Amino acid sequence: MVSSQFDVAKECLRLSQAADRWKSIAPVDRAELAKKTAQSVGEEAEAWVRAAVAMKSVNPDGQVVCSNELRTMLRAEECATGPIATLRLLILTEQALRSIGKSGVTNVSVKPRVTHVQEQNSEASCSTSSSLLSVDVLPVRSLYDPTIFRGHQATVRCANSGSVETFMKLWEEECQRRPHSSGVAVVLGAGNVTGLVAADAVSQIFEYGRAVLLKIHPVQSSLATVFRAALKPLVDAGLLSVVVGDPEFVRDAIKSKEVTAMHLTGGEETFQNIIRSNESELGTKKITCELGNVTPWIVVPGEYPEKDLLYQADQVAASIANNSSFNCIATKVVLTSRHWKQRKQFLDRIEQRLASLPARPAWYPGAMDLHQKATGRSITGGCVRPRLLQNVQRDDQPHWFAQEWFIPIAVETVVDGESIEDFCACVSRFVHELPGTLAASVTRPDGMATHDASHVEFLIEHLRYGVVAVNAWSALAYAVANVPWGGFPGGTIENPQSGLGHVHNPLFLPVVHNSILRAPLRVWPPPPWFPWHRKGEQLAQGVAEMYAAIAAGKGGLWNRVGMLPNVFRS
């Protein structure tokens, strides 16, 4: 916890003065600070991974429970969601700021375009604008995305401001205005994923121009020293202060007149408690948050080649197992068709993959009690295995669909509809009754009839989620770092849904509607975050080293070449 000698008011004043200086710094100099910070993250990557793995290897009784097999899995996961995600965000931020310094706006490889979405029909339970401005942000060739994210494409869809020319003017204005918000942001860090803490701070500093008082979640208190070291250039610039605090500390910080914004990544209950406890002080401050989701994965029925089917099942299984499902976008509800002939094979594969994995410590606070409450069963030995419960109907067990359970269990439910058109209409109604609007995934077969494909595209285009991932886990949209991350527009302080505002918008895209990430049905090589990946740890480390080399101005080509033996052994 914060030392009794820590003066919150004095620290906020110091940060505010640094923010005032930061306001006058040119984009090219801001880019240089982002570059130096990326280099520092690269240097501290191994220490970061070690500390994160140690934190997640302890059961609720304080005992270290971590086999060599589990340690290898954890190292791959923690490298991917910690140093790799942060490195990528900082490199993209540097590139964007250099582009702004040269031309006044960030650079993308493909010019923004107007896209027309299908009109509303009477059977759909969702709606959207008739046209949007689409900006392709993935792949980024300078980061070797055609290799790292083979076949993946990401498009950010923004509200149509009238024409491409008008949108470009608005975008340029945003690039000039947004990074000069100034003041101090109190960032209340999440406890589940270590990379979220760094990303939230980086977003506030570079995307909004605020200094950051970063409060670490108590469960991550052992990583405070690592964060200070990894983000040392920001600390040295006076723009970042990393502390471990309690609710009293939060109240004192929010009271400060130098604090102009607050951002929280966590649960809605925590958010509402903070709002109620600090209502008068927060009235004049910018409030943003990211609050999670009962994350659906929709599987469109069809005839899938066996290898494609198994790969998609593997993705679903990995999205449940990753980080013991202590993720705001861990898959919670898998939706299949009652009439799909391959349903059993698909679900059996998921269960097979999950059963092959070792039990993990239930390290996140409250997980033991939540498991007992959700299942009626206690956890033996403080460790738990990921599971998929098949054919769970909402009328019979409504609690699985009513809240986001922070435990490694997902449910599968069948949806009626003999035709693709009927299935899409039914599944759209179903998911929009689930809490949250953060992200959703859709698996769809190739080679569909034109009529059927049009209904699937209508579903994808009209899902009211901040990110819709096609043939991929929606977490990849966070990992690529230039897809704006936040809930679907429409949240309010009283009903924030999955959150207010965005992080991960280094391109300064304005009036973001939502984003769509598309991937092939099957990708080779398999991603290192698959927990059964034989070379996941080595490949994750190789990607981190490649990004660190790029940050250091070395190109990263030889690092990519060096990964090839492990790619072929995977």
Side-chain angles (χ1 to χ4, degrees):
M1 290 300 173
V2 174
S3 167
S4 59
Q5 299 174 345
F6 185 87
D7 190 326
V8 176
K10 185 176 180 180
E11 188 68 1
C12 288
L13 178 60
R14 185 189 67 78
L15 288 166
S16 178
Q17 292 168 345
D20 288 342
R21 295 191 297 272
W22 183 236
K23 193 172 184 178
S24 63
I25 300 298
V28 65
D29 295 318
R30 293 183 179 220
E32 192 62 27
L33 182 58
K35 178 180 180 179
K36 289 179 180 177
T37 307
Q39 292 170 355
S40 182
V41 169
E43 292 166 1
E44 297 295 329
E46 175 57 26
W48 186 334
V49 171
R50 281 201 310 269
V53 170
M55 178 187 76
K56 297 182 180 182
S57 299
V58 179
N59 71 12
D61 295 327
Q63 299 174 318
V64 176
V65 185
C66 191
S67 65
N68 289 335
E69 180 187 13
L70 178 56
R71 184 173 292 105
T72 296
M73 294 176 185
L74 290 176
R75 284 186 59 85
E77 288 181 9
E78 295 308 312
C79 188
T81 58
I84 287 177
T86 309
L87 278 163
R88 187 175 172 96
L89 175 59
L90 285 162
I91 293 169
L92 291 167
T93 297
E94 179 205 351
Q95 292 176 352
L97 290 169
R98 292 194 188 283
S99 177
I100 291 171
K102 290 179 181 178
S103 63
V105 70
T106 48
N107 181 47
V108 291
S109 59
V110 179
K111 183 180 178 181
R113 64 193 183 279
V114 176
T115 54
H116 296 277
V117 298
Q118 301 174 63
E119 293 296 330
Q120 177 74 54
N121 68 33
S122 59
E123 295 183 57
S125 62
C126 47
S127 61
T128 189
S129 306
S130 59
S131 65
L132 297 164
L133 261 296
S134 294
V135 183
D136 295 331
V137 298
L138 191 77
V140 179
R141 299 192 178 279
S142 62
L143 298 184
Y144 302 110
D145 283 353
T147 300
I148 304 300
F149 297 104
R150 285 184 74 183
H152 290 67
Q153 296 177 313
T155 301
V156 181
R157 306 196 302 173
C158 302
N160 188 355
S161 48
S163 66
V164 172
E165 291 72 22
T166 303
F167 176 78
M168 291 304 299
K169 290 179 182 178
L170 180 62
W171 192 0
E172 185 170 353
E173 290 174 5
E174 195 77 358
C175 289
Q176 302 304 318
R177 179 190 60 81
R178 193 192 302 166
H180 297 92
S181 301
S182 72
V184 178
V186 173
V187 173
L188 307 178
N192 56 330
V193 178
T194 62
L196 299 178
V197 175
D200 288 351
V202 167
S203 292
Q204 289 293 328
I205 291 170
F206 289 103
E207 295 174 28
Y208 295 96
R210 301 177 181 123
V212 169
L213 182 59
L214 175 59
K215 188 196 85 69
I216 303 298
H217 192 287
V219 76
Q220 291 190 7
S221 58
S222 61
L223 279 90
T225 302
V226 172
F227 292 139
R228 292 188 190 106
L231 304 175
K232 187 174 185 297
L234 301 179
V235 175
D236 291 347
L239 293 167
L240 176 64
S241 180
V242 181
V243 298
V244 180
D246 55 16
E248 184 178 354
F249 167 83
V250 175
R251 287 193 294 272
D252 290 344
I254 290 173
K255 286 179 184 177
S256 172
K257 68 179 187 301
E258 282 77 26
V259 169
T260 58
M262 183 200 77
H263 178 81
L264 166 80
T265 297
E268 183 175 353
E269 182 178 355
T270 301
F271 176 76
Q272 296 294 3
N273 286 339
I274 291 172
I275 295 297
R276 283 192 295 267
S277 302
N278 303 274
E279 191 170 358
S280 59
E281 290 82 4
L282 286 169
T284 59
K285 305 179 193 297
K286 179 68 175 179
I287 301 172
T288 54
C289 57
E290 190 268 276
L291 304 177
N293 200 46
V294 177
T295 307
W297 195 308
I298 300 164
V299 184
V300 177
E303 295 185 14
Y304 293 84
E306 184 175 24
K307 289 184 178 180
D308 294 351
L309 181 80
L310 298 181
Y311 182 87
Q312 287 295 307
D314 285 355
Q315 284 202 107
V316 175
S319 73
I320 299 168
N322 184 274
N323 198 31
S324 295
S325 273
F326 300 143
N327 293 322
C328 58
I329 44 168
T331 297
K332 291 300 170 187
V333 179
V334 180
L335 296 110
T336 63
S337 169
R338 187 183 304 277
H339 308 282
W340 182 33
K341 295 179 181 179
Q342 292 175 297
R343 173 174 169 263
K344 182 179 186 303
Q345 184 183 7
F346 181 79
L347 298 177
D348 286 350
R349 174 67 168 204
I350 295 174
E351 290 204 346
Q352 174 194 345
R353 283 299 199 189
L354 295 179
S356 72
L357 299 176
R360 300 194 189 195
W363 60 269
Y364 196 79
M368 297 273 285
D369 292 340
L370 280 175
H371 190 278
Q372 174 75 39
K373 183 178 180 181
T375 67
R377 300 177 182 177
S378 60
I379 296 176
T380 303
C383 293
V384 62
R385 293 181 183 274
R387 296 168 60 200
L388 175 70
L389 308 181
Q390 294 188 29
N391 197 21
V392 175
Q393 298 307 304
R394 185 164 50 182
D395 290 343
D396 299 330
Q397 301 185 59
H399 66 286
W400 291 113
F401 307 89
Q403 72 178 72
E404 178 187 17
W405 293 92
F406 241 40
I407 54 176
I409 297 177
V411 299
E412 180 261 351
T413 191
V414 292
V415 177
D416 287 319
E418 294 190 17
S419 67
I420 293 295
E421 180 179 0
D422 290 343
F423 174 82
C424 289
C426 289
V427 85
S428 175
R429 285 192 293 270
F430 192 105
V431 299
H432 289 136
E433 293 172 354
L434 298 174
T437 63
L438 184 60
S441 290
V442 179
T443 288
R444 56 157 298 170
D446 291 335
M448 301 183 74
T450 303
H451 177 268
D452 289 341
S454 68
H455 286 288
V456 175
E457 280 305 303
F458 183 90
L459 171 70
I460 292 166
E461 290 176 352
H462 291 76
L463 285 171
R464 295 195 299 269
Y465 289 89
V467 166
V468 178
V470 182
N471 297 333
W473 184 23
S474 54
L476 289 183
Y478 189 92
V480 301
N482 58 1
V483 171
W485 189 254
F488 193 80
T492 64
I493 295 292
E494 296 75 22
N495 181 23
Q497 300 178 49
S498 281
L500 309 172
H502 292 92
V503 295
H504 271 203
N505 189 4
L507 301 182
F508 301 95
L509 289 164
V511 289
V512 172
H513 179 77
N514 76 338
S515 302
I516 298 178
L517 172 75
R518 297 179 186 269
L521 273 170
R522 179 163 46 95
V523 175
W524 187 90
W529 54 269
F530 278 12
W532 45 81
H533 197 299
R534 289 179 294 178
K535 295 294 180 179
E537 178 185 358
Q538 294 88 336
L539 287 177
Q541 182 178 348
V543 173
E545 291 173 352
M546 182 187 75
Y547 285 160
I550 292 172
K554 298 178 182 178
L557 176 60
W558 289 111
N559 300 87
R560 187 176 66 151
V561 172
M563 286 188 279
L564 289 177
N566 287 321
V567 168
F568 289 110
R569 290 172 188 150
S570 65

